[in-house]
Amino acid sequence: MQRRYYGTLAAVAALSLAATLSGCGAGTGSGEVTLKLVAADYGSNASNTSQKYWDELVAAFRKKHPDIAVEVDVRSWKDVDRDVAEMVAKDEAPDLAQIGAYADFAAEGKLYPTSELLPIPTQANFLQRLNQAGEVDRVQYGMPFAASTRLLFFNEELFEKAGLEPPKTWQGIVTAAAKLKAQGVKYPFALPLGTEESQAETMMWMLSGGGGYQDAVNTGYDINSAANIQTFTWLKDKLVTPGLTGPIDPGQLDRQAAFDAFTKGEVGMLNGHPTLMEAAEKAGVKFGMVPLPSPDGEATPSMGVADWMMAFKQNGHREEIGEFLKFVYEDQNVLDFSDAYDILPVTVTASTAMEGDAKHKKLRPFLRELDNSELYPVGKTSWARVSKSVKANIGKAVTPDGDPEAVLNGIAKEAADAEAAE
């Protein structure tokens, strides 16, 4: 994948032999500097916490750079974004943060631009779509750290028992869900629109229906577009009201609960990301994966997600931060993290290596989807408020007595207000 970027990558690599990017010199000055990094935990329990990955990486870095110490504080995804925001508000920003959003900090002038931290070849090696998503006003501040896409997972044993093939259209989803319900499957199609990550499930369905959070040229929000209203009306009328989404109101069903039900063999179909594979395999669930169907079966963009690394100016350790980040984004370190957590790599070279490695065969469909994916509008400082509104309200759109148009209009108004407040 991403072969169209190789020529550019080779060219900038050659140029780098003759010039060194400002701020990325070999020397780090005299005396020891300690960098502080706050990072999100991708592990599911204490035995596979991300702290282990970071401790090993930092130890290897310290051998090469004995004058730079790095202290890594790994925190739960439930807390890390809020915790970093509170640190920044108290003028106690870490040197680095690996979290879910960067745009607010960039807009406030608190982050180093990527160009002041990394040499040109490292910058150019990020997947182009992710590079662009890390920009605010055409300047990159967010460095992609981890990526994933979404596919439709289905329980192969339940499908075989019901005599089903993987659906290719929305009508195929309805037909399969009805047969699964008749077979006594608890969740024929699990639709998690609860507060945990409903902004993701929402975007997946919007894209499948020909819409999205933004307009066609990605210049503004288009949340209450005709396509989005039609999509959520269909979900309400064809899946939720007929009882094909299970015993729990989708607005009360969180992603993790849906994933847990899938690993128990209680779900026929649901949208999932790569980490669900490992959990399902450990539970002995046989599953298949296909792109989320569209109304007519034609291909539509999938949803991509990226998490971000950012560097704060407050402590003034630009050169040391740059040295550490160059090490973080070396291929082996990127691949080690991807291996540990079934996450997609964010660089061209690591992605190519993963795609060519037979042990990553099951991740190849996700890699292919990343090339055709759409990401959250994370470059908008208003996105945090819009995402919060989606989480709080979208479940109401698909209740039997809900009004999808009214709900989407309400979210769209909050988006417009958030944009106007920027």
Side-chain angles (χ1 to χ4, degrees):
M1 65 180 292
Q2 302 289 345
R3 291 178 176 83
R4 61 182 177 273
Y5 307 127
Y6 293 166
T8 300
L9 181 59
V12 296
L15 287 172
S16 72
L17 296 175
T20 301
L21 184 68
S22 174
C24 293
T28 58
S30 60
E32 180 176 296
V33 168
T34 298
L35 302 178
K36 295 184 179 180
L37 163 64
V38 178
D41 194 353
Y42 290 77
S44 57
N45 52 58
S47 66
N48 69 343
T49 174
S50 298
Q51 190 73 54
K52 180 180 179 182
Y53 168 82
W54 285 112
D55 287 348
E56 292 175 354
L57 183 142
V58 166
F61 174 77
R62 190 69 187 268
K63 289 180 180 179
K64 295 184 177 182
H65 299 274
D67 55 344
I68 306 175
V70 184
E71 296 178 356
V72 184
D73 181 2
V74 172
R75 304 192 180 199
S76 165
W77 268 115
K78 293 182 179 180
D79 305 318
V80 68
D81 287 289
R82 181 188 67 247
D83 290 351
V84 170
E86 291 176 353
M87 292 175 192
V88 174
K90 295 176 182 177
D91 289 329
E92 298 173 357
D95 297 283
L96 291 153
Q98 185 273 299
I99 53 178
Y102 65 87
D104 284 354
F105 303 129
E108 294 169 0
K110 297 183 181 295
L111 301 180
Y112 286 115
T114 304
S115 61
E116 294 184 12
L117 300 167
L118 295 175
I120 294 172
T122 305
Q123 295 178 64
N125 197 26
F126 290 128
L127 298 175
Q128 186 181 45
R129 189 175 297 275
L130 303 182
N131 252 343
Q132 293 171 343
E135 295 178 352
V136 173
D137 294 332
R138 300 184 181 276
V139 177
Q140 185 178 3
Y141 298 94
M143 291 160 277
F145 180 76
S148 69
T149 53
R150 303 295 194 265
L151 292 172
L152 177 69
F153 283 66
F154 62 95
N155 184 307
E156 289 185 340
E157 291 184 352
L158 296 178
F159 265 59
E160 289 174 5
K161 184 178 179 181
L164 294 169
E165 295 292 330
K168 296 181 180 179
T169 65
W170 283 5
Q171 182 54 49
I173 291 176
V174 172
T175 300
K179 289 185 178 180
L180 291 167
K181 182 181 180 181
Q183 294 278 346
V185 175
K186 187 174 182 179
Y187 297 90
F189 194 108
L191 184 67
L193 294 177
T195 58
E196 181 185 354
E197 204 194 26
S198 54
Q199 82 281 5
E201 189 75 15
T202 296
M203 184 171 177
M204 282 182 266
W205 283 102
M206 285 179 169
L207 292 172
S208 174
Y213 282 121
Q214 300 187 88
D215 56 33
V217 292
N218 291 338
T219 58
Y221 291 110
D222 198 18
I223 292 169
N224 57 342
S225 67
N228 291 341
I229 292 170
Q230 184 177 5
T231 293
F232 278 86
T233 300
W234 182 89
L235 286 170
K236 172 195 168 186
D237 293 344
K238 301 297 183 180
L239 282 183
V240 180
T241 300
L244 300 181
T245 54
I248 298 176
D249 180 346
Q252 303 301 315
L253 181 64
D254 283 340
R255 179 197 63 180
Q256 190 59 53
F259 281 14
D260 291 345
F262 188 81
T263 63
K264 295 175 184 176
E266 298 175 343
V267 175
M269 297 171 280
L270 85 169
N271 295 319
H273 53 61
T275 56
L276 180 57
M277 293 192 304
E278 181 183 5
E281 288 170 350
K282 286 183 177 179
V285 174
K286 295 181 180 180
F287 61 90
M289 302 176 297
V290 295
L292 179 61
S294 62
D296 57 6
E298 294 296 317
T300 57
S302 63
M303 188 194 76
V305 175
D307 301 323
W308 303 95
M309 180 74 76
M310 61 212 70
F312 289 89
K313 294 179 178 179
Q314 181 174 327
N315 301 317
H317 296 146
R318 178 170 59 87
E319 292 187 13
E320 293 83 2
I321 291 170
E323 291 294 334
F324 180 62
L325 289 175
K326 283 191 291 183
F327 187 75
V328 167
Y329 285 109
E330 289 181 4
D331 276 358
Q332 192 56 57
N333 294 327
V334 173
L335 288 169
D336 285 348
F337 186 84
S338 299
D339 283 343
Y341 301 106
D342 284 330
I343 293 293
L344 303 183
V346 297
T347 64
V348 173
T349 49
S351 294
T352 302
M354 176 176 278
E355 189 172 28
D357 190 336
K359 74 177 181 179
H360 296 300
K361 182 178 179 180
K362 289 186 177 179
L363 279 172
R364 288 173 185 168
F366 293 98
L367 283 167
R368 289 192 290 268
E369 287 298 306
L370 185 60
D371 196 31
N372 187 41
S373 67
E374 297 288 341
L375 281 76
Y376 296 134
V378 289
K380 289 178 172 290
T381 57
S382 59
W383 169 241
R385 179 175 168 184
V386 174
S387 176
K388 183 178 179 180
S389 178
V390 173
K391 291 179 182 181
N393 295 296
I394 197 63
K396 304 169 189 175
V398 298
T399 59
D401 60 348
D403 184 340
E405 183 172 2
V407 171
L408 290 172
N409 282 342
I411 298 171
K413 184 180 185 305
E414 288 204 45
D417 292 345
E419 283 280 88
E422 287 188 358

